[in-house]
């Protein structure tokens, strides 16, 4: 329901902004424009305020940058950087997996509207984009992500995925991935990262 509301909110804000710009351009063409009109409609102003709140980078975004920006070494090499005004952390992974060259990219962020951490994954061993969402547990210093991905071994079925990304300290974190198949959750991967700068 929140996503539907957000789509409607985006449409209202974009429509309002486009209407104001169009009106300003038309008036300018007629030699009557001086400035964009200020929004007088309280509902329109509320929509613009909500959009601004949804788009503002905050404490969760600074926390992601603190935890993951930098160069990391593991079985894969990883370089994380803050992008889009600190709203996302883009991490590029390189190395080898199963004897083949490997490249992967993740985008990690915090959605102010859904109040969830999000992670999108893409790599050169698949053609999909995989989304997981979750929370941060300060007691265990862990991000807990959940999602579902198409199963390449059984077309048309989805695999439930759970990821735990634990921040050990400023220079170490551990990623554990679990998949649920036939109703049983199985630990399928662990990567331990060490910051090298």
């Amino acid at each position: 329901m929140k996503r539907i509301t957000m789509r409607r909110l985006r449409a209202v804000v974009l429509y309002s902004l486009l209407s104001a710009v169009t009106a300003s351009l038309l008036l300018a063409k007629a030699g009557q424009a001086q400035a964009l009109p200020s929004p007088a409609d309280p509902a329109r102003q509320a929509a613009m305020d909500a959009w601004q709140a949804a788009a503002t980078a905050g404490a969760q975004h600074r926390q992601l940058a603190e935890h993951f920006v930098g160069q990391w070494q593991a079985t894969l090499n990883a370089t994380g950087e803050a992008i889009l005004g600190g709203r996302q952390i883009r991490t590029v992974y390189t190395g080898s997996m199963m004897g083949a060259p490997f490249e992967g990219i993740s985008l990690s962020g915090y959605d102010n509207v859904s109040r969830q951490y999000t992670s999108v994954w893409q790599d050169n061993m698949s053609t999909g984009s995989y989304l997981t969402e979750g929370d941060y547990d300060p007691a265990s210093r862990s991000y807990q992500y959940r999602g579902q991905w198409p199963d390449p071994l059984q077309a048309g079925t989805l695999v439930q995925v759970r990821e735990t990304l634990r921040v050990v300290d400023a220079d170490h974190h551990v990623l554990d991935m679990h998949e649920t198949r036939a109703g049983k959750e199985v630990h399928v991967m662990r990567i331990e990262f060490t910051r090298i700068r």
Side-chain angles (χ1 to χ4, degrees):
M1 184 58 104
K2 288 182 181 175
R3 290 187 181 178
I4 293 172
T5 302
M6 191 60 191
R7 284 190 190 125
R8 288 183 183 159
L9 177 61
R10 287 178 179 154
V12 168
V13 171
L14 288 175
Y15 178 79
S16 298
L17 292 174
L18 287 174
S19 297
V21 169
T22 302
S24 178
L25 290 174
L26 289 173
L27 290 172
K29 192 170 185 178
Q32 302 171 9
Q34 296 181 11
L36 287 174
S38 62
D41 180 7
R44 183 169 148 197
Q45 184 61 50
M48 294 180 79
D49 291 345
W51 181 266
Q52 181 67 34
T56 301
Q60 293 88 354
H61 305 93
R62 290 189 293 275
Q63 175 181 291
L64 284 167
E66 178 185 321
H67 287 166
F68 303 116
V69 168
Q71 289 191 331
W72 301 82
Q73 202 167 44
T75 50
L76 300 172
N77 293 320
T79 301
E81 64 174 329
I83 62 170
L84 303 176
R87 291 167 180 83
Q88 297 286 325
I89 305 299
R90 177 177 57 201
T91 306
V92 177
Y93 299 83
T94 58
S96 63
M97 190 170 290
M98 297 182 286
F102 180 82
E103 298 173 77
I105 299 172
S106 71
L107 287 176
S108 301
Y110 179 79
D111 187 330
N112 290 341
V113 178
S114 69
R115 299 181 193 273
Q116 293 276 295
Y117 288 90
T118 60
S119 179
V120 179
W121 175 261
Q122 298 173 318
D123 61 48
N124 67 333
M125 300 184 91
S126 63
T127 55
S129 297
Y130 306 108
L131 172 68
T132 54
E133 298 177 306
D135 297 305
Y136 177 72
D137 174 30
S140 63
R141 292 174 50 92
S142 297
Y143 296 87
Q144 308 284 338
Y145 293 99
R146 292 189 179 275
Q148 54 185 15
W149 299 348
D151 187 348
L153 305 177
Q154 293 182 303
T157 63
L158 296 173
V159 177
Q160 300 299 314
V161 177
R162 180 173 66 86
E163 295 177 350
T164 300
L165 186 52
R166 182 170 58 92
V167 178
V168 178
D169 58 38
D171 296 320
H172 300 87
H173 60 261
V174 178
L175 171 68
D176 284 296
M177 182 180 289
H178 299 78
E179 294 181 352
T180 299
R181 295 176 183 271
K184 183 178 180 182
E185 185 178 78
V186 178
H187 183 259
V188 294
M189 182 175 66
R190 167 171 279 193
I191 302 177
E192 299 181 7
F193 293 89
T194 299
R195 190 193 304 264
I196 55 176
R197 69 175 184 182

